[in-house]
C-alpha cells in the first residue's frame, strides 16, 4: 500500500463496483498524482482492455518504485524461460516492474500472433 488509510476500505465494501472504481481513480489522481486514464465503465466489464489497465498500473510503478515509506517492494515471482527446455519457471524478482514487463511482453506477443493470423 502506498498510503495506508487514504481510503476507508470497510465503508467501500458494499458499494457498487462503479462507485468504488470512481473513488479509486479520483483518489489516485488527487492524492497520489496518478493521471486518470480510465473510467469505471472501461474497467467494470467482463474483459477490460489489458493494455489500458497495464498502462494505468505502470504509472503507479513509475511514480512509486520504492513502494510506501521509501522501502523496496517485496520480491514478486516472475515467469522466465528456462534455457534448457523452454519451460516457464518462477523466479524471484526484486521489483513489480519486472512482472509488469513480463505481462506487457506477453500481451505484445499475443497481439503479434493475432496480427499474423489475420494476414493468413
Amino acid at each position: 500500500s502506498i498510503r495506508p488509510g487514504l481510503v476507508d476500505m470497510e465503508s467501500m465494501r458494499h458499494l457498487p463496483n462503479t462507485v468504488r472504481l470512481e473513488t479509486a481513480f479520483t483518489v489516485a489522481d488527487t492524492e497520489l498524482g496518478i493521471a486518470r486514464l480510465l473510467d469505471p465503465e472501461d474497467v467494470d466489464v467482463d474483459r477490460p482492455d489489458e493494455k489500458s489497465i497495464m498502462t494505468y498500473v505502470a504509472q503507479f510503478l513509475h511514480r512509486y518504485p520504492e513502494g510506501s515509506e521509501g522501502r523496496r517492494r517485496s520480491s514478486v515471482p516472475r515467469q522466465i524461460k528456462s534455457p534448457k527446455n523452454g519451460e516457464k519457471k518462477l523466479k524471484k524478482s526484486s521489483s513489480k516492474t519486472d512482472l509488469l514487463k513480463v505481462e506487457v511482453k506477453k500481451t505484445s506477443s499475443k497481439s503479434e500472433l493475432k496480427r499474423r493470423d489475420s494476414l493468413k
Side-chain angles (χ1 to χ4, degrees), residues 55-72:
T55 301
Y56 183 70
V57 170
Q59 290 187 99
F60 287 88
L61 298 173
H62 289 292
R63 181 132 180 142
Y64 300 97
E66 300 297 318
S68 63
E69 301 168 14
R71 61 177 188 240
R72 290 297 273 166

PDB file of all heavy atoms in Angstrom, residues 55-72:
ATOM      1  N   THR A  55      -1.125   0.088 -18.706  1.00  0.00           N
ATOM      2  CA  THR A  55      -0.618   1.454 -18.817  1.00  0.00           C
ATOM      3  C   THR A  55      -0.936   2.242 -17.553  1.00  0.00           C
ATOM      4  O   THR A  55      -0.090   2.967 -17.030  1.00  0.00           O
ATOM      5  CB  THR A  55      -1.222   2.152 -20.051  1.00  0.00           C
ATOM      6  OG1 THR A  55      -0.882   1.402 -21.216  1.00  0.00           O
ATOM      7  CG2 THR A  55      -0.727   3.575 -20.189  1.00  0.00           C
ATOM      8  N   TYR A  56      -2.154   2.069 -17.050  1.00  0.00           N
ATOM      9  CA  TYR A  56      -2.552   2.766 -15.827  1.00  0.00           C
ATOM     10  C   TYR A  56      -1.726   2.289 -14.634  1.00  0.00           C
ATOM     11  O   TYR A  56      -1.180   3.098 -13.870  1.00  0.00           O
ATOM     12  CB  TYR A  56      -4.041   2.556 -15.568  1.00  0.00           C
ATOM     13  CG  TYR A  56      -4.568   3.308 -14.364  1.00  0.00           C
ATOM     14  CD1 TYR A  56      -4.681   4.695 -14.392  1.00  0.00           C
ATOM     15  CD2 TYR A  56      -4.939   2.644 -13.217  1.00  0.00           C
ATOM     16  CE1 TYR A  56      -5.150   5.394 -13.290  1.00  0.00           C
ATOM     17  CE2 TYR A  56      -5.414   3.328 -12.109  1.00  0.00           C
ATOM     18  CZ  TYR A  56      -5.516   4.706 -12.151  1.00  0.00           C
ATOM     19  OH  TYR A  56      -5.979   5.382 -11.057  1.00  0.00           O
ATOM     20  N   VAL A  57      -1.579   0.994 -14.483  1.00  0.00           N
ATOM     21  CA  VAL A  57      -0.812   0.428 -13.367  1.00  0.00           C
ATOM     22  C   VAL A  57       0.658   0.852 -13.453  1.00  0.00           C
ATOM     23  O   VAL A  57       1.302   1.116 -12.433  1.00  0.00           O
ATOM     24  CB  VAL A  57      -0.950  -1.112 -13.339  1.00  0.00           C
ATOM     25  CG1 VAL A  57       0.021  -1.737 -12.353  1.00  0.00           C
ATOM     26  CG2 VAL A  57      -2.381  -1.504 -13.002  1.00  0.00           C
ATOM     27  N   ALA A  58       1.185   0.948 -14.659  1.00  0.00           N
ATOM     28  CA  ALA A  58       2.582   1.356 -14.844  1.00  0.00           C
ATOM     29  C   ALA A  58       2.849   2.729 -14.230  1.00  0.00           C
ATOM     30  O   ALA A  58       3.949   2.988 -13.739  1.00  0.00           O
ATOM     31  CB  ALA A  58       2.940   1.347 -16.323  1.00  0.00           C
ATOM     32  N   GLN A  59       1.853   3.600 -14.244  1.00  0.00           N
ATOM     33  CA  GLN A  59       2.024   4.924 -13.640  1.00  0.00           C
ATOM     34  C   GLN A  59       2.371   4.815 -12.152  1.00  0.00           C
ATOM     35  O   GLN A  59       3.204   5.549 -11.647  1.00  0.00           O
ATOM     36  CB  GLN A  59       0.751   5.756 -13.778  1.00  0.00           C
ATOM     37  CG  GLN A  59       0.434   6.197 -15.169  1.00  0.00           C
ATOM     38  CD  GLN A  59      -0.737   7.143 -15.138  1.00  0.00           C
ATOM     39  OE1 GLN A  59      -0.538   8.351 -15.192  1.00  0.00           O
ATOM     40  NE2 GLN A  59      -1.938   6.615 -15.013  1.00  0.00           N
ATOM     41  N   PHE A  60       1.703   3.888 -11.470  1.00  0.00           N
ATOM     42  CA  PHE A  60       1.978   3.684 -10.043  1.00  0.00           C
ATOM     43  C   PHE A  60       3.410   3.202  -9.848  1.00  0.00           C
ATOM     44  O   PHE A  60       4.117   3.650  -8.955  1.00  0.00           O
ATOM     45  CB  PHE A  60       1.002   2.672  -9.432  1.00  0.00           C
ATOM     46  CG  PHE A  60      -0.387   3.200  -9.256  1.00  0.00           C
ATOM     47  CD1 PHE A  60      -1.313   3.101 -10.280  1.00  0.00           C
ATOM     48  CD2 PHE A  60      -0.772   3.795  -8.065  1.00  0.00           C
ATOM     49  CE1 PHE A  60      -2.603   3.587 -10.122  1.00  0.00           C
ATOM     50  CE2 PHE A  60      -2.063   4.275  -7.896  1.00  0.00           C
ATOM     51  CZ  PHE A  60      -2.976   4.175  -8.923  1.00  0.00           C
ATOM     52  N   LEU A  61       3.816   2.256 -10.680  1.00  0.00           N
ATOM     53  CA  LEU A  61       5.152   1.682 -10.552  1.00  0.00           C
ATOM     54  C   LEU A  61       6.239   2.714 -10.854  1.00  0.00           C
ATOM     55  O   LEU A  61       7.288   2.704 -10.221  1.00  0.00           O
ATOM     56  CB  LEU A  61       5.296   0.473 -11.471  1.00  0.00           C
ATOM     57  CG  LEU A  61       4.348  -0.683 -11.165  1.00  0.00           C
ATOM     58  CD1 LEU A  61       4.454  -1.758 -12.234  1.00  0.00           C
ATOM     59  CD2 LEU A  61       4.615  -1.264  -9.796  1.00  0.00           C
ATOM     60  N   HIS A  62       5.987   3.600 -11.799  1.00  0.00           N
ATOM     61  CA  HIS A  62       6.962   4.635 -12.121  1.00  0.00           C
ATOM     62  C   HIS A  62       7.000   5.726 -11.053  1.00  0.00           C
ATOM     63  O   HIS A  62       8.064   6.212 -10.698  1.00  0.00           O
ATOM     64  CB  HIS A  62       6.665   5.258 -13.487  1.00  0.00           C
ATOM     65  CG  HIS A  62       6.948   4.338 -14.623  1.00  0.00           C
ATOM     66  ND1 HIS A  62       8.216   3.928 -14.964  1.00  0.00           N
ATOM     67  CD2 HIS A  62       6.110   3.713 -15.481  1.00  0.00           C
ATOM     68  CE1 HIS A  62       8.149   3.101 -15.985  1.00  0.00           C
ATOM     69  NE2 HIS A  62       6.889   2.946 -16.323  1.00  0.00           N
ATOM     70  N   ARG A  63       5.853   6.090 -10.552  1.00  0.00           N
ATOM     71  CA  ARG A  63       5.790   7.167  -9.550  1.00  0.00           C
ATOM     72  C   ARG A  63       6.251   6.696  -8.175  1.00  0.00           C
ATOM     73  O   ARG A  63       6.814   7.465  -7.415  1.00  0.00           O
ATOM     74  CB  ARG A  63       4.368   7.695  -9.473  1.00  0.00           C
ATOM     75  CG  ARG A  63       4.211   8.809  -8.487  1.00  0.00           C
ATOM     76  CD  ARG A  63       3.480   9.936  -9.080  1.00  0.00           C
ATOM     77  NE  ARG A  63       3.342  10.992  -8.105  1.00  0.00           N
ATOM     78  CZ  ARG A  63       3.430  12.246  -8.415  1.00  0.00           C
ATOM     79  NH1 ARG A  63       3.631  12.575  -9.664  1.00  0.00           N
ATOM     80  NH2 ARG A  63       3.303  13.162  -7.518  1.00  0.00           N
ATOM     81  N   TYR A  64       5.987   5.454  -7.845  1.00  0.00           N
ATOM     82  CA  TYR A  64       6.324   4.900  -6.528  1.00  0.00           C
ATOM     83  C   TYR A  64       7.150   3.627  -6.677  1.00  0.00           C
ATOM     84  O   TYR A  64       6.735   2.557  -6.234  1.00  0.00           O
ATOM     85  CB  TYR A  64       5.050   4.622  -5.725  1.00  0.00           C
ATOM     86  CG  TYR A  64       4.229   5.862  -5.483  1.00  0.00           C
ATOM     87  CD1 TYR A  64       3.152   6.174  -6.309  1.00  0.00           C
ATOM     88  CD2 TYR A  64       4.546   6.728  -4.446  1.00  0.00           C
ATOM     89  CE1 TYR A  64       2.409   7.324  -6.102  1.00  0.00           C
ATOM     90  CE2 TYR A  64       3.808   7.875  -4.235  1.00  0.00           C
ATOM     91  CZ  TYR A  64       2.745   8.171  -5.069  1.00  0.00           C
ATOM     92  OH  TYR A  64       2.017   9.314  -4.861  1.00  0.00           O
ATOM     93  N   PRO A  65       8.342   3.699  -7.267  1.00  0.00           N
ATOM     94  CA  PRO A  65       9.133   2.478  -7.495  1.00  0.00           C
ATOM     95  C   PRO A  65       9.606   1.818  -6.204  1.00  0.00           C
ATOM     96  O   PRO A  65       9.853   0.617  -6.182  1.00  0.00           O
ATOM     97  CB  PRO A  65      10.324   2.964  -8.324  1.00  0.00           C
ATOM     98  CG  PRO A  65      10.434   4.410  -8.010  1.00  0.00           C
ATOM     99  CD  PRO A  65       9.027   4.879  -7.749  1.00  0.00           C
ATOM    100  N   GLU A  66       9.703   2.583  -5.146  1.00  0.00           N
ATOM    101  CA  GLU A  66      10.182   2.028  -3.874  1.00  0.00           C
ATOM    102  C   GLU A  66       9.034   1.570  -2.982  1.00  0.00           C
ATOM    103  O   GLU A  66       9.276   1.076  -1.892  1.00  0.00           O
ATOM    104  CB  GLU A  66      11.019   3.073  -3.121  1.00  0.00           C
ATOM    105  CG  GLU A  66      12.231   3.538  -3.895  1.00  0.00           C
ATOM    106  CD  GLU A  66      13.215   2.418  -4.155  1.00  0.00           C
ATOM    107  OE1 GLU A  66      13.447   1.614  -3.240  1.00  0.00           O
ATOM    108  OE2 GLU A  66      13.740   2.345  -5.273  1.00  0.00           O
ATOM    109  N   GLY A  67       7.803   1.734  -3.412  1.00  0.00           N
ATOM    110  CA  GLY A  67       6.663   1.357  -2.576  1.00  0.00           C
ATOM    111  C   GLY A  67       6.421   2.415  -1.518  1.00  0.00           C
ATOM    112  O   GLY A  67       6.870   3.546  -1.619  1.00  0.00           O
ATOM    113  N   SER A  68       5.739   2.042  -0.476  1.00  0.00           N
ATOM    114  CA  SER A  68       5.425   3.008   0.575  1.00  0.00           C
ATOM    115  C   SER A  68       6.619   3.232   1.483  1.00  0.00           C
ATOM    116  O   SER A  68       7.463   2.363   1.667  1.00  0.00           O
ATOM    117  CB  SER A  68       4.225   2.521   1.392  1.00  0.00           C
ATOM    118  OG  SER A  68       4.544   1.323   2.043  1.00  0.00           O
ATOM    119  N   GLU A  69       6.713   4.392   2.028  1.00  0.00           N
ATOM    120  CA  GLU A  69       7.732   4.778   3.011  1.00  0.00           C
ATOM    121  C   GLU A  69       9.153   4.535   2.518  1.00  0.00           C
ATOM    122  O   GLU A  69      10.055   4.254   3.292  1.00  0.00           O
ATOM    123  CB  GLU A  69       7.487   4.050   4.336  1.00  0.00           C
ATOM    124  CG  GLU A  69       6.118   4.361   4.907  1.00  0.00           C
ATOM    125  CD  GLU A  69       5.751   3.436   6.047  1.00  0.00           C
ATOM    126  OE1 GLU A  69       6.637   2.741   6.574  1.00  0.00           O
ATOM    127  OE2 GLU A  69       4.576   3.415   6.402  1.00  0.00           O
ATOM    128  N   GLY A  70       9.380   4.611   1.195  1.00  0.00           N
ATOM    129  CA  GLY A  70      10.715   4.530   0.652  1.00  0.00           C
ATOM    130  C   GLY A  70      11.397   3.169   0.735  1.00  0.00           C
ATOM    131  O   GLY A  70      12.581   3.059   0.503  1.00  0.00           O
ATOM    132  N   ARG A  71      10.701   2.127   1.074  1.00  0.00           N
ATOM    133  CA  ARG A  71      11.338   0.810   1.145  1.00  0.00           C
ATOM    134  C   ARG A  71      11.094   0.037  -0.142  1.00  0.00           C
ATOM    135  O   ARG A  71      10.154   0.314  -0.877  1.00  0.00           O
ATOM    136  CB  ARG A  71      10.848   0.034   2.360  1.00  0.00           C
ATOM    137  CG  ARG A  71       9.372  -0.231   2.330  1.00  0.00           C
ATOM    138  CD  ARG A  71       8.943  -1.073   3.522  1.00  0.00           C
ATOM    139  NE  ARG A  71       7.568  -1.424   3.289  1.00  0.00           N
ATOM    140  CZ  ARG A  71       6.562  -1.102   4.083  1.00  0.00           C
ATOM    141  NH1 ARG A  71       6.773  -0.453   5.189  1.00  0.00           N
ATOM    142  NH2 ARG A  71       5.340  -1.446   3.780  1.00  0.00           N
ATOM    143  N   ARG A  72      11.933  -0.935  -0.401  1.00  0.00           N
ATOM    144  CA  ARG A  72      11.789  -1.756  -1.594  1.00  0.00           C
ATOM    145  C   ARG A  72      10.527  -2.586  -1.506  1.00  0.00           C
ATOM    146  O   ARG A  72      10.151  -3.056  -0.444  1.00  0.00           O
ATOM    147  CB  ARG A  72      12.972  -2.725  -1.743  1.00  0.00           C
ATOM    148  CG  ARG A  72      14.270  -2.095  -2.096  1.00  0.00           C
ATOM    149  CD  ARG A  72      14.255  -1.423  -3.404  1.00  0.00           C
ATOM    150  NE  ARG A  72      14.562  -2.291  -4.507  1.00  0.00           N
ATOM    151  CZ  ARG A  72      14.331  -1.939  -5.744  1.00  0.00           C
ATOM    152  NH1 ARG A  72      13.802  -0.791  -6.039  1.00  0.00           N
ATOM    153  NH2 ARG A  72      14.640  -2.739  -6.722  1.00  0.00           N
TER     154      ARG A  72
END
